[in-house]
Amino acid sequence: VRQAINLLYDFETIKRTILYNQYDRINSYFPNSEYGAAGKPTSEELAVLHPFRNQLAAEVLNEAFVSPISDGSGRNRKQLREALTLFNTSGWQLDNGKLVKDGQQMALELLLVQPDGQRVAAPFLQNLKKAGIETSVRIVDSAQYQVRVDDFDFDLISARLNFFPPPGPELRSYYGSAAADERGSANYAGIKNRVADQLIELIISAESLEQLQVINRALDRVLLWNHYVIPQFYNSKHRFAHWNRFGKPDVQPKY
């Protein structure tokens, strides 16, 4: 179901129509670093993942993770068909324009603390509706938002997950199984994955930076291929403005 919902996030259209083509898609939990996965797994990463191969999807060991790519037209028909196929596999059927299971329509609420988040989310919510999902947006004040996030009382939120290299014990709070039921933790997606738990402990006990980086890239692949989150976007450039206020004499003094 999460993979299907991810297919309905049409980043290319959002980038073209709302983001002025200024942002790039995130394809890692640890992007733009030596700690994030890129391309197919290396031999070192495969050596880390090999003991867990029976618990992993084949894609983790063989494929490069890339978020769904649309044609940017805004119609997103191919991804919609793929999403509906996945929903059907999970027992959800499109019936008279509604995605239902056991007589109930799927309903998702996007919880926001800032109203301007609606603008970027609008195309995504429209695609959810096309798939028969009832969607709504709720904007709350910062205090209520914090309480609801701490209690995991939400369907969808838009969050920034910062990481400070090198990753360490804080990974337990972000992606560890124990944190999934711990109020106020950063495991917003409710991740409970035994392989991830074991890789996190290997990262914490790593004896060198190089070893830590390899294990962390392996963890990145496990998290990505389980489709726990919808990777959004980042700006690959730093912007700054300056005013050349002061003139410069044509003739420079000798001193």
Side-chain angles (χ1 to χ4, degrees):
V1 169
R2 291 187 191 228
Q3 183 179 0
I5 292 173
N6 193 3
L7 281 163
L8 298 173
Y9 185 81
D10 184 358
F11 171 72
E12 282 66 35
T13 296
I14 294 172
K15 178 180 179 179
R16 176 178 60 83
T17 60
I18 297 176
L19 301 178
Y20 305 99
N21 288 315
Q22 296 294 305
Y23 293 82
D24 297 315
R25 190 79 187 267
I26 296 173
N27 282 300
S28 170
Y29 282 75
F30 310 91
N32 194 32
S33 75
E34 294 296 324
Y35 305 92
K40 292 185 177 182
T42 63
S43 58
E44 292 85 358
E45 293 166 22
L46 289 174
V48 172
L49 293 168
H50 185 73
F52 311 105
R53 62 191 182 280
N54 294 332
Q55 304 173 60
L56 300 171
E59 293 87 349
V60 179
L61 301 171
N62 298 295
E63 301 295 334
F65 180 87
V66 180
S67 296
I69 300 173
S70 75
D71 61 8
S73 66
R75 289 181 287 274
N76 202 30
R77 292 174 179 172
K78 179 177 180 290
Q79 281 76 15
L80 177 59
R81 288 194 298 269
E82 293 176 1
L84 289 173
T85 299
L86 289 171
F87 283 132
N88 291 342
T89 302
S90 302
W92 293 90
Q93 302 292 327
L94 194 61
D95 184 14
N96 292 323
K98 295 182 179 180
L99 192 66
V100 297
K101 182 178 182 180
D102 299 328
Q104 281 194 314
Q105 182 181 9
M106 184 183 291
L108 295 173
E109 178 188 85
L110 173 62
L111 182 67
L112 296 174
V113 69
Q114 294 178 322
D116 57 1
Q118 296 178 92
R119 180 170 174 265
V120 177
F124 174 48
L125 298 181
Q126 290 171 1
N127 284 335
L128 291 175
K129 290 178 180 178
K130 290 177 183 177
I133 302 171
E134 180 184 342
T135 64
S136 59
V137 178
R138 183 180 296 273
I139 302 171
V140 297
D141 60 47
S142 58
Q144 187 178 359
Y145 181 84
Q146 191 61 55
V147 170
R148 288 191 58 172
V149 170
D150 285 347
D151 290 336
F152 307 116
D153 182 19
F154 58 83
D155 299 325
L156 294 166
I157 59 171
S158 180
R160 295 180 181 180
L161 300 179
N162 295 325
F163 95 95
F164 303 95
E170 74 280 359
L171 293 173
R172 293 170 177 155
S173 178
Y174 280 110
Y175 313 120
S177 297
D181 298 317
E182 183 180 334
R183 185 182 186 277
S185 82
N187 190 346
Y188 304 127
I191 297 171
K192 292 183 178 181
N193 187 304
R194 291 185 178 182
V195 176
D197 290 339
Q198 294 177 73
L199 290 175
I200 289 170
E201 296 309 312
L202 290 175
I203 290 167
I204 294 170
S205 62
E207 297 180 354
S208 70
L209 180 61
E210 291 75 16
Q211 183 185 34
L212 186 153
Q213 290 171 340
V214 170
I215 302 171
N216 206 88
R217 291 196 292 269
L219 172 66
D220 196 20
R221 295 185 186 280
V222 172
L223 295 174
L224 289 167
W225 282 107
N226 274 281
H227 307 285
Y228 294 120
V229 301
I230 300 172
Q232 293 195 80
F233 50 86
Y234 74 105
N235 187 0
S236 60
K237 300 178 179 65
H238 290 289
R239 300 191 186 108
F240 69 93
H242 68 95
W243 180 17
N244 189 10
R245 179 175 181 177
F246 301 101
K248 181 179 180 181
D250 293 332
V251 179
Q252 297 291 323
K254 293 181 179 179
Y255 58 81

